[in-house]
Each structure stands twice: as structure tokens, then as C-alpha cells.
């Protein structure tokens, strides 16, 4: 069986390093980084995610501020609220919890965030820097993929890396980050022909297709590294990813589980971006 990459363990190591850094700041009489989250409405899943963020921030020594706005908040009111945070020197990172109510245009809201405080890495300015190979605040999940590979000691340079999925949130930025590490990257999507053949050529296979257990064992080369970005809840309540883990684990040299793999990295990379944003201006 391939080696299971422990995302929880690696995430904990990153958080501990950030905690040590905030302790150094406190010893020097400096304030900690501040992550500000805005949640609009009463979405249950969003509330759970925000509560977990708050707990993680506190444990790492960060200041966490959450603004809970009512469902009826207008787009104009939200944009004006973001403007105030953009101009607040004590706010280092701004996170807009999605989804927003249907009467609010998400694109307009994300564009309003100061790129230097865009810890999600979704602003076009930060996307442009990523495309140029000089990211400052890269998207959290794709950068978590790279961090997993590096900390596991997996060489990316010169490897054929296949990314299944071309979303702006994961697929495209993951491909760009892999190229930055000198991987040779192929991006596959719903219109790709001979998908299974391309996947079988991958030294590193990143599944971000959004379909439960889409990647089967016959799509994986013996000894390939398999990174599963997907998260799905099945009818029986169990979680699974985009990869058929049981079928692929014996062919892969390394493989990430779901849960406990890439998903564990997202919040850690969010805090890392917040620290970067803080240090960039201090």
C-alpha cells in the first residue's frame, strides 16, 4: 500500500510554526496578525466553518474578528463595510464567507477587498501575480497541495503533473503553482479526450474534478503520487473524495485520504497568508 500523506499532521506543524511566530511578536511588544471574517446571513455550514476558523486563530495566537451581518444586508452596505476594513490598519486579512445571499453579487464583493488583505487569494491582482510566477497570497487549497508535497519530501521538478479540473479556485491555480515548482503540467477537464490515458501518464495526479470517487485504479500509474482535493458526503453520511481511495491506495506511492488530507491544510494556509499580509506591511 502507498504511504498515506497525513494532512492533519502537516497542518498542525504549520500552525505550530505560526504560533511560535506570534509568540515572538508578543515578546517584541508587537500586536498579533488580525484575521477579519464577514458572514452574511444564517447559513449553517458557514457558521460551523467560521467557528472553526475562530478556534484555530485563537490557538495560533492570532486575533480573530467576526462580523455577522443580517441576511437583508444590501450589497452597497456590504461594500461600504469592506471599505472600512480595507482602511483599517489593524485588519491584516479579510475573508468573506461564501455563499452570500442571492441578492449580493459575489464578484463585486471579492473585487472590493484590498488585494494586500485578500487572504483567500481570489482577487484578480493576486491571480495575476500567481500567473506571473510571483504569488504573494496564493489561494489556500492549491498552496496546501504544494505544501503537502514539499513537506512529504516529494520532488515536483521535472515530474509530469496532471490536474483534473480547471476551476479558478483549485484547478487553474494548482497548475500554476506546480509549474512554478518546475513540474511539467497537463490540465484535464470535461472536454478532454483520452482522459484515462493522460492520467496514467502522471507522476503526480491532482484530482479536483468535483465528482465522488471519479478517479479509479485503472487511471493511476503504478507508483504515482495521488492528491485528492475533493470532499463529498455520501448518502450513508460518510465522506469521500474525487479518488476511489480503496481502489487506488495499492497502486500509488503516496496518496492523500479524505478526510485528513488536503482539506486539513486549507485553514493552515489561510493563517499563513494572513501572517504574510501582516509582515508585508509591518
Amino acid at each position: 500500500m502507498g504511504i498515506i500523506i497525513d494532512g492533519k499532521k502537516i497542518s498542525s506543524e504549520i500552525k505550530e510554526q505560526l504560533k511560535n511566530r506570534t509568540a515572538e511578536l508578543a515578546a517584541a511588544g508587537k500586536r498579533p496578525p488580525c484575521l477579519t471574517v464577514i458572514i452574511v446571513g444564517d447559513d449553517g455550514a458557514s457558521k460551523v466553518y467560521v467557528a472553526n476558523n475562530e478556534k484555530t486563530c485563537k490557538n495560533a495566537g492570532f486575533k480573530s474578528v467576526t462580523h455577522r451581518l443580517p441576511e437583508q444586508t444590501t450589497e452597497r452596505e456590504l461594500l461600504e463595510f469592506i471599505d472600512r476594513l480595507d482602511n483599517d490598519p489593524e485588519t491584516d486579512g479579510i475573508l468573506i464567507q461564501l455563499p452570500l445571499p442571492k441578492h449580493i453579487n459575489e464578484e463585486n464583493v471579492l473585487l472590493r477587498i484590498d488585494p494586500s488583505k485578500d487572504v483567500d487569494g481570489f482577487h484578480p491582482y493576486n491571480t495575476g501575480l500567481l500567473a506571473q510566477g510571483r504569488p504573494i497570497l496564493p489561494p489556500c487549497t492549491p498552496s496546501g497541495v504544494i505544501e503537502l508535497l514539499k513537506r512529504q519530501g516529494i520532488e515536483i521538478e521535472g515530474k509530469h503533473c496532471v490536474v483534473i479540473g480547471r476551476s479558478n479556485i483549485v484547478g487553474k491555480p494548482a497548475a500554476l503553482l506546480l509549474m512554478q515548482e518546475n513540474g511539467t503540467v497537463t490540465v484535464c477537464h470535461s472536454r478532454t479526450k483520452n482522459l484515462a490515458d493522460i492520467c496514467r501518464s502522471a507522476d503526480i495526479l491532482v484530482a479536483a474534478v468535483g465528482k465522488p470517487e471519479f478517479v479509479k485504479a485503472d487511471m493511476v500509474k503504478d507508483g504515482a503520487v495521488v492528491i485528492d482535493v475533493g470532499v463529498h458526503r455520501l448518502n450513508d453520511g460518510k465522506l469521500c473524495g474525487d479518488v476511489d481511495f480503496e481502489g487506488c491506495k495499492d497502486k500509488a506511492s503516496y496518496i492523500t485520504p479524505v478526510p485528513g488530507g488536503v482539506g486539513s491544510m486549507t485553514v493552515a494556509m489561510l493563517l499563513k497568508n494572513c501572517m504574510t499580509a501582516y509582515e508585508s506591511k509591518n
Side-chain angles (χ1 to χ4, degrees), residues 65-95:
V65 178
T66 301
H67 296 283
R68 294 173 171 84
L69 306 182
E71 180 87 15
Q72 60 269 28
T73 300
T74 67
E75 182 174 318
R76 180 177 178 179
E77 289 171 336
L78 179 55
L79 294 176
E80 290 174 349
F81 195 89
I82 293 170
D83 288 343
R84 292 199 294 272
L85 294 176
D86 282 343
N87 293 314
D88 178 15
E90 298 285 301
T91 298
D92 302 301
I94 301 172
L95 174 67

Side-chain angles (χ1 to χ4, degrees), residues 53-236:
N53 269 358
E54 290 174 336
K55 182 179 178 181
T56 303
C57 281
K58 182 178 179 181
N59 290 340
F62 282 57
K63 180 181 179 182
S64 175
V65 178
T66 301
H67 296 283
R68 294 173 171 84
L69 306 182
E71 180 87 15
Q72 60 269 28
T73 300
T74 67
E75 182 174 318
R76 180 177 178 179
E77 289 171 336
L78 179 55
L79 294 176
E80 290 174 349
F81 195 89
I82 293 170
D83 288 343
R84 292 199 294 272
L85 294 176
D86 282 343
N87 293 314
D88 178 15
E90 298 285 301
T91 298
D92 302 301
I94 301 172
L95 174 67
I96 307 295
Q97 183 60 41
L98 303 177
L100 291 168
K102 291 182 180 179
H103 65 275
I104 297 177
N105 185 303
E106 290 184 359
E107 184 177 356
N108 291 343
V109 171
L110 296 177
L111 281 171
R112 199 65 164 241
I113 299 172
D114 182 340
S116 69
K117 299 185 179 187
D118 169 39
V119 288
D120 254 339
F122 293 156
H123 193 284
Y125 178 84
N126 287 319
T127 301
L129 289 177
L130 175 61
Q132 291 181 344
R134 50 192 188 101
I136 298 174
L137 299 174
C140 301
T141 299
S143 60
V145 169
I146 301 300
E147 200 72 22
L148 281 178
L149 292 169
K150 286 183 173 182
R151 290 183 180 242
Q152 194 66 43
I154 297 168
E155 185 71 34
I156 300 173
E157 183 171 342
K159 300 293 181 64
H160 183 204
C161 308
V162 173
V163 179
I164 314 175
R166 55 178 172 177
S167 73
N168 292 328
I169 296 173
V170 179
K172 289 179 184 176
L176 290 167
L177 288 169
L178 288 165
M179 279 194 285
Q180 188 178 323
E181 299 297 328
N182 298 315
T184 301
V185 180
T186 300
V187 178
C188 299
H189 45 78
S190 59
R191 304 295 177 87
T192 299
K193 296 180 179 179
N194 303 317
L195 174 62
D197 289 338
I198 296 172
C199 291
R200 278 190 292 271
S201 72
D203 301 308
I204 299 173
L205 181 62
V206 179
V209 68
K211 296 182 179 180
E213 300 185 334
F214 177 83
V215 176
K216 303 297 184 182
D218 62 359
M219 299 170 67
V220 177
K221 178 174 72 173
D222 286 337
V225 176
V226 179
I227 305 295
D228 190 350
V229 180
V231 181
H232 311 277
R233 189 170 295 278
L234 302 176
N235 292 333
D236 60 5

